[in-house]
Amino acid sequence: DTGVSQNPRHKITKRGQNVTFRCDPISEHNRLYWYRQTLGQGPEFLTYFQNEAQLEKSRLLSDRFSAERPKGSFSTLEIQRTEQGDSAMYLCASSLPLGGHEQYFGPGTRLTVT
Amino acid sequence: TQLLEQSPQFLSIQEGENLTVYCNSSSVFSSLQWYRQEPGEGPVLLVTVVTGGEVKKLKRLTFQFGDARKDSSLHITAAQTGDTGLYLCAGALIQGAQKLVFGQGTRLTINP
């Protein structure tokens, strides 16, 4: 399967703990996106990478959130000092350089903060 | 306030019926995508429309982009139980914009 993969699929953590999620994009896609989706809502944009450069960050991405894409391939999203309000589905998507509007999503990581 | 408003938010119909889902905005989009999402999974891209007035067909699904590129519709003919899911519209506000703005989704249930 050459689609976008995300790990873990589910994460349950206690409030105050740090969590890290990983996304592996489609191999020839150099653009990578993170979105967050809460229950009953559509996904909301968090941040975007072109190769290893983080080019845009949403105001939703507070200081507790950090994303990296060190070698321009996989990406990680870390949340420090998790809060109950961080509970959501975290989605990763990737796209080709000239097809930015056609984004292909991974299965997501469901985070539950207790 | 949602930039993209989808209606209806919930729709439950019998197998074999036709239905239309709407995606409306006061903003102009350079492109608009429709996705379908199953519970616990990521959205799956169905179609992208780019030109005002464009119509695309995918088997029993017909997608239309409004002439002014502010709205779109998804029409399903002879719905099947396998069409059940969350349908999301998403748009890019300006040419070359990387982030997609999503509607809140239409949860469609097709009853046998």
Side-chain angles (χ1 to χ4, degrees):
Chain A
D1 184 15
T2 56
V4 178
S5 62
Q6 292 187 244
N7 289 288
R9 293 293 310 276
H10 304 275
K11 178 71 177 178
I12 300 174
T13 191
K14 292 185 177 180
R15 189 174 50 190
Q17 298 295 306
N18 300 342
V19 293
T20 300
F21 311 140
R22 175 176 170 131
C23 170
D24 287 87
I26 295 171
S27 58
E28 62 268 28
H29 288 186
N30 74 335
R31 291 179 174 172
L32 186 148
Y33 314 79
W34 286 98
Y35 290 81
R36 181 173 69 185
Q37 185 177 26
T38 53
L39 207 60
Q41 300 296 320
E44 294 175 291
F45 172 80
L46 291 178
T47 190
Y48 144 67
F49 290 85
Q50 180 165 303
N51 299 313
E52 65 276 6
Q54 188 174 18
L55 298 185
E56 188 173 350
K57 292 169 63 173
S58 163
R59 283 175 290 180
L60 290 175
L61 216 63
S62 75
D63 291 345
R64 298 184 296 105
F65 288 69
S66 62
E68 294 183 344
R69 195 182 182 196
K71 297 182 180 179
S73 56
F74 73 91
S75 175
T76 58
L77 177 68
E78 181 183 16
I79 309 174
Q80 296 182 327
R81 305 181 303 281
T82 52
E83 302 172 356
Q84 287 188 320
D86 297 331
S87 295
M89 174 79 93
Y90 290 84
L91 294 162
C92 175
S94 68
S95 72
L96 288 167
L98 297 180
H101 53 259
E102 291 204 338
Q103 298 180 14
Y104 296 86
F105 283 81
T109 295
R110 167 74 64 189
L111 172 66
T112 302
V113 181
T114 61
Chain B
T1 302
Q2 205 71 31
L3 199 58
L4 275 170
E5 293 282 347
Q6 285 188 241
S7 61
Q9 289 192 40
F10 300 92
L11 183 58
S12 179
I13 63 171
Q14 294 300 119
E15 196 170 23
E17 293 183 357
N18 302 333
L19 67 107
T20 303
V21 174
Y22 299 94
C23 178
N24 295 301
S25 178
S26 57
S27 300
V28 176
F29 289 89
S30 65
S31 68
L32 196 135
Q33 289 75 49
W34 284 91
Y35 289 85
R36 177 178 154 182
Q37 187 176 24
E38 303 290 343
E41 299 293 331
V44 174
L45 181 65
L46 297 175
V47 78
T48 296
V49 286
V50 179
T51 307
E54 184 176 3
V55 176
K56 282 192 174 179
K57 292 191 174 184
L58 187 67
K59 297 183 181 178
R60 293 175 295 101
L61 278 61
T62 302
F63 305 86
Q64 184 161 7
F65 201 11
D67 291 341
R69 290 184 289 129
K70 292 182 178 182
D71 52 80
S72 181
S73 63
L74 158 60
H75 182 78
I76 301 179
T77 303
Q80 300 176 357
T81 55
D83 295 327
T84 294
L86 180 68
Y87 289 82
L88 293 158
C89 65
L93 275 170
I94 58 173
Q95 189 71 30
Q98 298 312 312
K99 68 180 181 183
L100 292 179
V101 175
F102 279 82
Q104 75 273 45
T106 294
R107 185 159 299 283
L108 176 62
T109 303
I110 309 300
N111 302 301

